[in-house]
Amino acid sequence: MHMSIQQLSEHVYYLAGGVNTVILKQEDKAIFVDTGGDKTYGRDLKRACESLNLTPIAILNTHSHADHYGGNDYLLKQYDLPVYAPTLESSIIQNPSLEPIYLFGGAKPLPELMSKWLLAKPSKVDFELSEGTLELAGLELKVIETSGHAHKHMSIICDDVLIAADALFGKAVLEKYPLPFGQDIGAQIDSAKKLLTSKVNLVVPGHGEPSEDLETLVKINLETFKKASEVVLDSAKGVSTEEVLRLSCDSLNISLADLPRYYLN
């Protein structure tokens, strides 16, 4: 089933999926914000552009987790596009094996950690995506650093729409995954609070439904981050990391049925 495209504002179009992807439209030009996990997402983005009679001119990757840049490879085979990504994250996008390597503590990853969910196809990166104003094809974008979920993570505002990527998660996603992935929980909390100052009418999380209520979505995320932090701290009573994980998952009713899930948690 192909993802359907929805117009959110004058310039912002959104494709709902396991990972949300966005097309920014400026006259007859298109800018991709994240490309999903694989070539299926890439194909859907290409079809969406064709249906809108748009010519892609750039890819913006908010961070380097495989499910957010996995469509780059397909799209770069179809179009000659510059790719923008945050510093450090660009190294992982160009060398995807670094993601399973760091999840496995630096050692050669087990085969189970080398699936497409953790290991996308490599993509070039041409320019650094950093906090500030970015103008592409006459479209002015506000780029906000929202690191914490990833080492370097950017969110983007276009029109009155906040493309939060994984700085925020939808409510249903947090209910399903009560221990949300984060590489720096302090920064993750600070970034969620930082987004509260955004003057927007709509927010698109990286996973989950768009919301017109940024304040409530931030509150739900902060409550989840706080609860997860408290559970982990309560479990860290002079025992091994593995035991902290077991106790935390028991407390949050999380089942670790496979190695990727184990190491992500």
Side-chain angles (χ1 to χ4, degrees):
M1 180 179 292
H2 302 311
M3 293 178 282
S4 60
I5 187 164
Q6 303 172 44
Q7 185 171 5
L8 301 181
S9 70
E10 180 184 356
H11 299 101
V12 181
Y13 291 75
Y14 141 81
L15 280 77
V19 183
N20 296 327
T21 56
V22 171
I23 294 174
L24 304 179
K25 175 183 179 293
Q26 172 66 342
E27 297 178 347
D28 61 345
K29 305 290 194 301
I31 301 161
F32 300 122
V33 181
D34 288 338
T35 61
D38 54 26
K39 64 183 179 182
T40 300
Y41 284 86
R43 286 196 191 103
D44 283 337
L45 286 166
K46 181 175 183 286
R47 288 191 184 102
C49 280
E50 290 169 347
S51 71
L52 295 169
N53 295 314
L54 301 178
T55 301
I57 63 162
I59 294 172
L60 309 184
N61 292 129
T62 60
H63 63 296
S64 69
H65 293 159
D67 58 338
H68 286 260
Y69 74 91
N72 283 24
D73 177 72
Y74 173 84
L75 290 167
L76 291 173
K77 288 176 179 175
Q78 313 303 313
Y79 309 106
D80 181 19
L81 303 175
V83 178
Y84 294 72
T87 181
L88 179 63
E89 304 295 305
S90 60
S91 297
I92 300 169
I93 291 171
Q94 293 173 92
N95 303 279
S97 59
L98 289 173
E99 184 174 349
I101 285 171
Y102 72 63
L103 285 171
F104 199 53
K108 181 181 179 182
L110 297 169
E112 292 85 348
L113 298 179
M114 303 293 280
S115 69
K116 72 176 183 178
W117 306 114
L118 300 177
L119 184 69
K121 290 187 177 181
S123 162
K124 67 166 186 161
V125 176
D126 302 283
F127 300 106
E128 179 183 341
L129 185 64
S130 56
E131 186 168 79
T133 300
L134 176 64
E135 186 175 312
L136 289 172
L139 188 63
E140 189 171 289
L141 309 175
K142 182 178 181 182
V143 182
I144 308 167
E145 182 175 342
T146 47
S147 300
H149 171 76
H151 292 291
K152 285 290 182 183
H153 183 291
M154 301 295 159
S155 300
I156 296 167
I157 294 178
C158 180
D159 297 337
D160 57 0
V161 180
L162 168 63
I163 304 160
D166 286 356
L168 296 173
F169 301 95
K171 181 181 178 182
V173 174
L174 291 172
E175 290 172 352
K176 186 175 181 180
Y177 301 104
L179 191 61
F181 186 86
Q183 291 169 322
D184 183 336
I185 184 61
Q188 195 170 24
I189 290 169
D190 288 344
S191 291
K193 291 178 178 177
K194 181 179 182 179
L195 289 175
L196 275 176
T197 63
S198 303
K199 305 299 182 185
V200 296
N201 293 328
L202 193 64
V203 54
V204 182
H207 306 265
E209 295 291 325
S211 173
E212 295 179 353
D213 190 346
L214 173 62
E215 185 175 349
T216 297
L217 187 62
V218 169
K219 180 182 177 183
I220 291 168
N221 275 261
L222 289 173
E223 287 173 349
T224 303
F225 298 156
K226 183 174 184 288
K227 181 180 179 182
S229 300
E230 289 172 347
V231 166
V232 171
L233 283 171
D234 191 53
S235 301
K237 303 296 185 185
V239 297
S240 68
T241 301
E242 291 79 10
E243 184 66 2
V244 172
L245 178 60
R246 185 187 71 79
L247 292 168
S248 299
C249 288
D250 285 350
S251 179
L252 294 168
N253 295 314
I254 295 171
S255 174
L256 301 179
D258 52 67
L259 279 176
R261 200 180 303 268
Y262 176 88
Y263 280 101
L264 284 168
N265 279 277

